[in-house]
Structure formats: structure tokens, C-alpha cells
Amino acid sequence: MTSIVIGSWTFRAAGREEAWMEAKVPGCVHTDLLRNGNIEDPFYGTNEHRLQWIDKQDWEYAAEFDAAAEQLDDDFVQLVFEGLDTYADVTLNGSRLLSADNMFRIWKAEVKGLLKESGNKLHIRFRSPVNEDLPKLERLGYALPATNDQSELGGLGDKRISVFARKAPYHYGWDWGPRFVTSGIWRPVRLESWSGVRISDLFIRQDAVSAEAAEVTAVVTVEAAASGPSTMVVTVEGREHRLEAELETGVQTLELPIRIEQPRLWWSRGLGEASLTEFQARVDKQDGAADSRTVRTGLRSVRLVRDRDEAGTSFYFELNGVAVFAKGANHIPNDSFVSEVTEDRYRHEILSAAEANMNMLRIWGGGIYEQDIFYDLCDEHGIMVWQDFMFACSMYPGDEAFLDNVRAEAEDNVRRLRNHPSIVLWCGNNEIDSAWAHYDENGGWGWKKDYTPEQRESIWADYEAIFHKLLPDAVERLSPGIGYWPSSPLISLTEDAGQHAYPESAAGDVHYWGVWHAVEPFENYKLKIGRFISEYGFQSFPEYRSVRSFAEEADMELLSTVMLAHQKNGAGNRLIKEYMDMYLPEPKDFPAFLYESQILQAEAMKMAIEAHRRRRPYCMGTLYWQMNDCWPVASWAGMDYFGRWKAMHYYAKRSFRDVLLSADRTGTGIDLHLVNDLQASLQGTLKVSLLDFSGLTLAEREVPAAAAGGQSRLLLSLAGEELLPESAASDSVLVTAELVAEDGSLLAAASAFLEGDRQLALAPASIHVEEIEGSGGSRFRVSASRLARAVWLQSDREGIFSDNFFDLVPGRPVTVAFKALKPGAVRYEAADAGRVTASSMGDAVKALAAKG
Ligand code: BMA
């Protein structure tokens, strides 16, 4: 098969006869307009509001290309469009090829008869998604709920039309994302040709995998120009497996069972190597035609276990027979303009997940089915993927054309992604079952109230057709063995009120938003624990440097127009302030406020993550909302749009460690827990100290400590006199705990204060950062003469520290390393941090600044 990419394109507004401008494909209209200097940076200030005209307009893209002689001679020639966003009419040399209506599908057209040797003219007209879908709303006669669709901002009043388009839902705005309803060619366009025979798909179906043997079937889709005898050989790990087959003209599937003894298994990070195995299939026809194709997969068995137990029903992933505690976050697209996400940005994201000890990411249903590289990286780094289909927080139409479109979308994507060992679950949608709450009159988000009983039944029937029938059928047919979960969150499909999840459900997965949306205290994270918590979160601001990318100095206040434009969750900025007044000392200025907002978020998430992990095995998964951002904004993300780790990402790295010592301030004292996510058991000594803020040891204690593989246990409860001798003041002491192995190595550490941050006797820091000689600016010794709370190290180069936002105890200096991603590299490498400065909470507090 020969394949060339059609790479050189121009574009212009349709129907205006303006000059053609250079376009970048893959790309979209917004970024093409920006590159040509026709619009200003969409992310800057309030520019978003002025760019809403773009989606009311049709756009045209054109390319001229030559076809290689051998392609013209081939039996079959196809144009393959991997992604057209969204309503597109395509012509080649004036002849109509196809009309597309789904961003998530792969579109193909036979072009053999139309192709010339040179000067082929490919033309795509993108019809405005707004003009296209408004009539569909008219025709339906009533609106469908679409909570996050920012139609007003788009100038459409209350006409929320996102649900009619098979297009990334977040393009229409979300509670962390701007409204940029793009159009364009968002994935490559290729000219593909072949003669004789070709392998158009190779699927390694994993029928039964264990440590003894992997029984797989190579499912090979073969297209033949003519019938005739052939030999297929599948090579894996140097061994050839053969099948003689009589091919028919056209498309057929050949299946070849293969047994691999003692396979190298694919494990998620923390449990073992993420070993990958390559399979090559080759078909040789007796008439001389031949083709081959290679795929990479990981051999593993995976199962979503939902078994009844004394507490309810379990919900966990079993990988190669081992129960896995899932640790990670929810992923959204890395950019409002998805084709702007370079491979290095993907590398940074997935490496950041692995570096922070995660083993799972949920690709949330309001974005896109991700690019191949996302899954490749997850495969390589042992990050399991919970894959939503792209439906979120809305009800969808269910007419036949819509269903057919969704079916084709599901087939394209499940087929494209099914060799990735990282994908452990397909999930129908985000939050729709619980938002509509069909069987609970007063449940859900109040959507049902707007509809007559007939309308309700019809809307729900449409829902069931997609999420209880069409999507599970596609997964079962195309990726057998991988679990399907209809909606997140959900208890189970009981078809009664018991179906819809609530935060304390003892079955299914839960989303807990009482903290944040319902302004409940952080401490409720310790109470509202489900079997698998697939969402919970707390907002913060990006750091000062990132805020300055969209705001001027004059905009730097919480309720300025620009800061509010970069906060998409109505009450968000006020909520951050409210919680800060509850938990942290008042910051001295706006930069200090930004910093404290990050500590606030990090402390909230630490409380949640560790509470979830301590409840293992009742709870077996914790995925916070949200991993990343699609533009610079105040949001629940742990790393900002520029990939800069917020305090939260560093905190998550500590709280997700496979061996965790967790210090829980209970109200009466401090409990020390040990959580062991490893398969092997642990043994050691727990060394506990009480220190004052000058570093003086006030009390010490040692107890033996052990935990079996996969166990969480309470090691020690400290209270009363034992915790705090009369001579000491609770506002200026901390408890440190270390788990030390028999050979003296440190297995885990934790610390806790006896009071909240508002009560602590903090002081401005005098932190000493000393570069370690010979480290080329990549390693530092950090020390303080008095306790420094939440020490923030800042470098003037981009990169990550091995640790940051930590409490620094006098007499206990720490060494930190600085690493960065080299372009094209697959891991972080030691790098020169440039100038490094350090500050702490004591420097941010208003009362202390006034004194100083
Ligand atoms: C959950 C997510 C998103 C949303 C987030 C914060 O509901 O599924 O829809 O962005 O909460 O509100």
C-alpha cells in the first residue's frame, strides 16, 4: 500500500470571494485565522467574546496535489479523511466525493476514476455548525438539556444546539472551557492506494491470558482484488504462525489462533512492567500480490469486578488476576484547538501522570476520542485508560440518522483503539444517568420537570437506545472481553430508583461534588466514600506567570472582567475566596492569593485521595477532577494549560505513592495509617516524632509496622498528653512519621500539624537553596532555620522538581532534583533549573507581611 499525506492547503471564508490564505492542516479555522493575523489571541483577555462570529460562517479549504505514477496505476485509490470537523462537503476535481457530519468518524472515498497525474483539486466546504443545527432544534419542537453549552455567550440565547452535532461537546463551552465552535480538517488527509491485496486491519483479540499462557487470535481483515490461494503468516517474538486461505474478491476476515507460553504480561504502573508485544501479519497470494501490517499490544487479562459483598457490590479492576487500586485523574482535551497539541505536550501529560504515581486516566466524555499517541504513551507507561464515549451532561436525540451516525462513530473508534492494552473500560457517557434520574421523580438535576410525561418517555427511550443497546453492542462485537459501563456515575442497571448513583452508594462508581458545588467542608471527603470515586475536585488558579499570559497587571483582582472571563464556573472565584477564609490565613496580595488558592486545592485533594486510599478494599479507585486544562483558566486542574504543575500535582504525587503513610487529623488526635498498593508485603518500624517549629524534638516513639500486599491498616492513634505534652503549644508543633525498613531504608514518610493553617504560628521564611556542586544546576539542597510551610520552589526554566510545596523542618534539609522534557524525548532528564527561588506560606500571609 502506498500512502501520501495531502499537506499543503489554503482557506477562506466561503461565499465572500476573498483571497485564499495559507492554512495548516491538521488545524482549524480559529488557529488559521490567528496565524494569518486576522484575529487576536483567542485566549487573551476577553477576546473569546469577540470571536463568536466565526462559527456562524461557512469556510472553505482547498488543496492542489499531484499523484505519483505508481498510485495512478494501482487498482484501488482512496482519499482518507481521518477527521473532518464537522459538516463538510468534499469534492475532487469538481466531482462530489462525500458529505461528512461527524467529527469523530473516519471518512473515505474511492477516487480512482477522478484522479489525474497533476493539479488535482481537493475542495472542502465546512458548513457552519450553528446554521446547520438550529433547524434541528426547531424541528424537534423542544430543547434538550445541555447544562454546559454556553449558548448565550455564542449569541444564541437559550438555543443549546450542541447535542445535535457529533462534535466535541466542550467546543460549545464548559465550566472550565471557552466557547470556540471550530471547523476544519483536524486530522490528516491521506491518498492511499493498493493493488492485489491489502491488510486493512489487524486486531489481536485476547481470548485468555494468564502467567502460563496467552491465547490470542489474530483477526486480520484482508481485501483482495481477485480471488485465489494465499498464505498468511503472523510473526510474534520470532515465531511464525501460518494459515493457508482461499481469498475471495473483496473484504474478508481471517482468524488465526496463537498460543504464547509464559508471556511477558502488561502491568499497570506499580504492579510490574508494562511489557509490549509486537505482532506482524503478512499475506502472500500465489499470484504474487502481498501486504503486511504490524501492531503492538500488551498481553493482559482485565476485568471490571462487580461482586456482591457484605458492604454492597464491589467495583474494581482486576489485572492479570490482581485487584488494582486505581489512582489518577480525569483528562480533558489539552487545548480548545485540539490539533495544537504537539506530541511533546502529550508526552508531558502522560509522563506527569506516571511521575505522580498514577495508574489510570479517565478520558472524559465531553472531549474527544484521543489521538493515537495518547494511548501509545499510556501503553508504554502502564497507565490504564477508562474511556468514555463522547457524550456528557446532556440528553441527545434518537432519530435514526443520529443513531446510525453514532453507531459508525463507535465502530470507527473502538476499532481504532482496541489493540491498546491500556484501555480497560468503555463507558457510555458522563453523568447523564444521574442527571436525568429517570426513575427518581425528585432526583437528578431537575431536567425532567421541563417535559410532559410523553416527552420524558421519548427522551429516555432515545437514551436507552444509545447507551444500553447501541454502544454496548459495538464494544461487545469489536472489542470482546473489555467491559462496558453505561454511565459514570451509576449503581447498576436495575431500571428503578436504585439505578442512579449518589455519593455514598455502596455499589457502582460515584462522583462526589458536595465539596465545591455544595460548599460542604473538606472533611466530608472522609465521609462520602464510594466503591470507586471517579470524580471529585476543587478549583484553584494557575500560577502568576500563567495568569499573566491572559491578564495585564491592572486585571489582577478576583472580580475583574478578565479574571471572571477566565472562570467558567459561575460562583467559582467567590467560592475559592469563601473556602480560603475557612481554611487558610488571609493572603497579603493577589499573587499571594493565587499561591494560596493552589495550597487550598492541594490540601483538599490530599484529604480526599488519602481518605479514599485508607478505605481500601471497600474503595478501590480515586480519580480526581481534573488532570489538565484546555486554556489558561481558574479550574479544578492539577496542571495548568502550559503544563505547569500546580501545588496539587506535587501533593498528588506524594498521596499516590504506592506505599503511603497517611497522617489523619481526626479532631481528637492523629491517626497514622499505612496503605500498601504493592503486591508484596511490607515490614518495618514506624518512627514518630513531635517537633516544635524550631526543629526541637519534644517526644519520640517507635512501633513495629507491617502491611500485607494490597492492604490498608491503621498503625497508631495518637491523642491527648501522648500527642501533645503540656509544655508544648498546639499551634507550633508538628508530628512527623517515618516508616523505616529493616535495612534502614526509608519506605514512606508523613507529617501533620495539630491545628489548621489559620491557627498555626507561621512566619516569613528564611529558606536556603544551595545548588549541589557538580549537578549542572539540576540538584539543590533546601533548608530552613524555622518551620517553613508549603515551600514553593520556582525555577526560571520550564520543568518539574522532584518535590515541591512541601513543609520544611529545621535540621532536616531536603534534596530536590530538577528535570525537564527534551523535545522528542520519552522521559524527563536532569536539567539546569536556572535561578531557583523559594518562598512559603509565611511569606504570603497578610497579617505577617504587615508585621514584617
Ligand atoms: C463534573 C464533570 C464536568 C465538570 C466538572 C466540574 O460533572 O463531569 O462536567 O466540568 O464536574 O463541575
Side-chain angles (χ1 to χ4, degrees), residues 148 174-176 364 393 430-431 511 513 517 535 625 636:
N148 289 284
W174 214 266
D175 58 3
W176 35 259
W364 163 81
C393 304
N430 177 67
E431 291 186 341
H511 293 186
W513 282 101
H517 287 304
E535 272 189 28
W625 184 268
W636 299 268

Side-chain angles (χ1 to χ4, degrees), residues 356-644:
N357 299 312
M358 297 182 181
N359 63 10
M360 181 178 274
L361 289 171
R362 170 176 176 236
I363 300 187
W364 163 81
I368 59 167
Y369 304 92
E370 269 298 347
Q371 310 279 24
D372 295 337
I373 185 173
F374 183 99
Y375 305 94
D376 287 341
L377 289 162
C378 288
D379 293 349
E380 288 160 17
H381 293 279
I383 305 290
M384 297 179 285
V385 173
W386 167 314
Q387 177 71 54
D388 283 2
F389 284 94
M390 292 304 125
F391 300 89
C393 304
S394 308
M395 299 308 287
Y396 291 88
D399 55 89
E400 223 163 280
F402 190 83
L403 295 186
D404 288 346
N405 201 359
V406 170
R407 188 175 301 109
E409 162 190 331
E411 288 172 356
D412 277 357
N413 285 287
V414 175
R415 200 177 282 121
R416 173 170 71 92
L417 299 176
R418 60 189 171 170
N419 282 318
H420 290 285
S422 52
I423 297 180
V424 296
L425 185 75
W426 282 89
C427 172
N429 68 68
N430 177 67
E431 291 186 341
I432 306 181
D433 183 90
S434 55
W436 180 261
H438 190 70
Y439 301 104
D440 179 359
E441 181 55 32
N442 296 313
W445 300 357
W447 289 352
K448 295 194 294 295
K449 310 268 184 235
D450 294 341
Y451 301 95
T452 65
E454 294 72 36
Q455 286 170 342
R456 286 187 192 192
E457 288 310 319
S458 146
I459 291 171
W460 184 244
D462 290 346
Y463 175 91
E464 294 202 298
I466 297 175
F467 301 106
H468 297 171
K469 176 111 193 57
L470 191 161
L471 296 178
D473 281 358
V475 174
E476 172 65 34
R477 212 162 11 97
L478 296 170
S479 190
I482 295 298
Y484 173 83
W485 188 236
S487 184
S488 177
L490 178 80
I491 297 184
S492 77
L493 289 190
T494 52
E495 304 196 351
D496 57 30
Q499 175 166 316
H500 315 305
Y502 54 94
E504 298 101 319
S505 303
D509 69 323
V510 305
H511 293 186
Y512 171 57
W513 282 101
V515 176
W516 186 261
H517 287 304
V519 211
E520 292 173 21
F522 290 172
E523 288 72 15
N524 280 13
Y525 280 132
K526 299 196 222 172
L527 307 174
K528 315 274 175 149
I529 299 180
R531 309 305 299 259
F532 190 107
I533 304 153
S534 33
E535 272 189 28
Y536 56 96
F538 194 88
Q539 277 203 1
S540 73
F541 286 91
E543 63 181 80
Y544 181 81
R545 273 190 297 177
S546 301
V547 172
R548 280 305 308 271
S549 76
F550 64 80
E552 294 302 315
E553 206 51 63
D555 303 317
M556 291 294 215
E557 53 175 297
L558 197 51
L559 302 179
S560 74
T561 314
V562 168
M563 290 310 288
L564 288 175
H566 289 253
Q567 166 59 271
K568 291 288 185 174
N569 181 219
N573 286 4
R574 270 195 213 98
L575 266 181
I576 293 175
K577 170 91 172 64
E578 234 175 278
Y579 274 103
M580 200 180 288
D581 289 345
M582 263 150 71
Y583 290 100
L584 295 184
E586 190 183 349
K588 65 179 183 198
D589 54 21
F590 196 67
F593 178 87
L594 298 178
Y595 157 82
E596 280 200 26
S597 83
Q598 292 202 4
I599 305 302
L600 187 68
Q601 172 193 38
E603 288 290 332
M605 292 299 92
K606 175 185 181 198
M607 196 177 288
I609 291 169
E610 296 192 7
H612 300 160
R613 292 191 62 193
R614 292 195 299 260
R615 284 295 297 282
R616 175 181 184 144
Y618 176 85
C619 172
M620 284 299 284
T622 179
L623 306 178
Y624 65 74
W625 184 268
Q626 69 205 66
M627 178 74 181
N628 55 331
D629 272 332
C630 70
W631 75 318
V633 65
S635 83
W636 299 268
M639 55 189 246
D640 74 21
Y641 173 72
F642 302 100
R644 295 173 181 146

